[in-house]
Amino acid sequence: MDAVATTAIPRHCPVSGDDALIAQLQRDAFDYFLQHVDQQSGLVADTSRTGSPISIAVVGFALSCYPIAVERGWMTRESACALSVAAMRFFSDSDQSGAADATGYHGFYFHFLDPASGRRVWKSELSMVDTALLIAGVLMAAEYFDRPNAMETQLRTLADALYRRIDWRWAQDGGHTIMQGWKPECGFLHYGWEGYNEAIVLYVLALGSPTFPIFPECYKAWTSTYQWENIYGVDVLYAGPLFVHQFSHAWIDFRGLQDGYMREKGSDYFQNSCRAIRIQREYALINPGSHAGYGVDGWGLSAGDGPSDEVMSIYSVPRRLFGYAARGVPYGPDDGTLSPPAVLACLPFAPETTLRCMHNLLQRYPEIRTFGRLTSGFNADLSIQGRAWVSSGHFGLDQGIVTMMIENHRTGLPWRLMRSCRYLVDGLRFAGFQGGWL
């Protein structure tokens, strides 16, 4: 039986003979950050494409990956600390006026920033969840860089101040849940974080704040919007795309941890991610859209890049293509695009299943790996001279989640560091989590 059937997965569980492949994929993924970081500001590009803006969430992943790189000998502790301090200093000194060309407001930050000025671009929203991903990285760095020297002391001081100034209550806009975003042109967006999604880390950090915490009732209001389903005979807390079942897990070890909702269901979020993988495989095996490359070892529907969003005729069959989209199962959208990084990030949940799928995809479609790292998406329905359509460039979010989840599979370092973060621990307890390491 595959490991997806149980939460009792050992911390060190590589499949024999695959250690070298896992190690190389992790190193190649991490190198994205060294290649696309601004040495002065510490900011990291959203993608490797020319003209890419800064993504605040990608900066959060970079801050989380530097400790991994130090431990693995890919960079010195001093250089990793210096880059981390540069990023934190930038956000600490940034324009928080909320103006149309500012960097942030109420301690939150706009989703995309100009690489030169660090100010808002693309009329992007003040993003609550992307700020949470940034701050998760800030807090993980603060846990790792714990020495009493001047640089590491400064890092911890900056990290604490950045977290403390976020006004999480303001982000509720007087409602029961946290809003998804805000724009200076129109105020809060007309939807909040509702339904199961990647926002557990957002709510936990908001609950743990010593300055502007939300109340536990806010978390309960969020979980009350969850959708529990039975799909292909599997009971699961529903979320279609794989990344939803991964992002908060990059920082939080949910094995055996249960909030009120999961206690009632007799499950936990780690086990739920295992079940989501089973559903992905079953969906790909059924393959209702008759897409090329799908099967028991050909799955991975998630958020990522895909062919341009226009109606095309592929092999005389009209199909809708979605460009960058959050693809999911079993309700879609599904245009035949799979995300290799989303597959690899499943390692902590289902190592054998994940590696079988990765071997299959790499063997059948070697073009999905460029410059050593995995592309955001590929679509075998669109094949030219036997090569599948492959997303151009690389996305920082993909490389960050791959680096972190491989490390959680190999050593559990991110999980161990965040267990020592008192703000995260407080937030989990206020949310009602019990059991496991807590």
Side-chain angles (χ1 to χ4, degrees), residues 24 110 150 155 172 181 244 262 296 299 346 364 424 426 428:
Q24 190 60 57
F110 289 106
L155 183 150
Q172 292 182 252
V244 169
M262 281 301 188
V296 69
W299 45 274
C346 289
R364 295 184 64 186
L424 187 83
D426 287 346
L428 287 168

Side-chain angles (χ1 to χ4, degrees), residues 117-331:
S117 67
R119 293 179 175 272
R120 177 195 188 212
V121 294
W122 292 356
K123 293 187 177 180
S124 59
E125 81 285 6
L126 194 79
S127 176
M128 284 54 178
V129 74
D130 289 280
T131 297
L133 298 178
L134 168 64
I135 295 301
V138 165
L139 295 176
M140 181 172 157
E143 291 302 321
Y144 181 75
F145 293 103
D146 59 355
R147 294 178 181 174
N149 62 61
M151 181 68 78
E152 297 193 17
T153 299
Q154 181 186 21
L155 183 150
R156 295 192 298 275
T157 300
L158 286 167
D160 199 62
L162 287 171
Y163 178 62
R164 286 173 174 267
R165 82 174 178 185
I166 301 174
D167 191 344
W168 306 96
R169 291 179 189 170
W170 170 81
Q172 292 182 252
D173 190 30
H176 296 296
T177 57
I178 296 176
M179 303 302 289
Q180 286 202 9
W182 177 92
K183 290 189 174 185
E185 295 83 5
C186 59
F188 284 101
L189 306 183
H190 297 301
Y191 39 86
W193 282 105
E194 298 175 356
Y196 179 51
N197 47 52
E198 69 273 25
I200 297 182
V201 70
L202 165 66
Y203 278 92
V204 167
L205 291 178
L207 283 163
S209 170
T211 48
F212 304 102
I214 61 172
F215 296 104
E217 289 73 21
C218 181
Y219 184 82
K220 293 178 181 178
W222 177 47
T223 59
S224 72
T225 67
Y226 281 3
Q227 185 175 339
W228 187 264
E229 295 196 15
N230 183 281
I231 302 173
Y232 307 136
V234 179
D235 291 325
V236 67
L237 173 55
Y238 171 73
L242 270 177
F243 85 97
V244 169
H245 301 281
Q246 298 168 342
F247 269 37
S248 289
H249 295 257
W251 292 276
I252 306 173
D253 180 2
F254 284 105
R255 292 176 298 179
L257 286 185
Q258 293 179 316
D259 58 9
Y261 185 92
M262 281 301 188
R263 278 193 295 276
E264 180 181 326
K265 299 299 183 181
S267 183
D268 61 50
Y269 291 101
F270 185 93
Q271 187 178 59
N272 197 72
S273 295
C274 296
R275 294 175 179 180
I277 295 168
R278 292 169 60 187
I279 292 169
Q280 284 261 341
R281 296 174 69 206
E282 185 65 24
Y283 175 87
L285 184 62
I286 295 170
N287 195 7
S290 300
H291 294 300
Y294 281 33
V296 69
D297 293 325
W299 45 274
L301 280 80
S302 191
D305 200 26
S308 58
D309 51 351
E310 58 186 8
V311 176
M312 296 181 60
S313 179
I314 306 170
Y315 304 118
S316 301
V317 179
R319 297 191 188 276
R320 180 83 167 99
L321 301 175
F322 300 107
Y324 194 97
R327 297 166 178 83
V329 303
Y331 309 122

Side-chain angles (χ1 to χ4, degrees), residues 92-104:
S92 177
D93 296 342
S94 65
D95 182 350
Q96 280 278 306
S97 68
D101 64 345
T103 299

Side-chain angles (χ1 to χ4, degrees), residues 245-246 277 340-349 354 358 398 401-402 405-406:
H245 301 281
Q246 298 168 342
I277 295 168
V343 173
L344 189 53
C346 289
L347 265 176
F349 308 115
T354 297
M358 285 308 308
D398 295 333
I401 192 65
V402 162
M405 293 304 268
I406 287 179

Side-chain angles (χ1 to χ4, degrees), residues 371-391:
F371 300 100
R373 63 184 65 103
L374 297 173
T375 186
S376 181
F378 80 99
N379 191 312
D381 288 343
L382 295 172
S383 180
I384 300 175
Q385 297 181 342
R387 291 174 60 87
W389 177 93
V390 172
S391 172

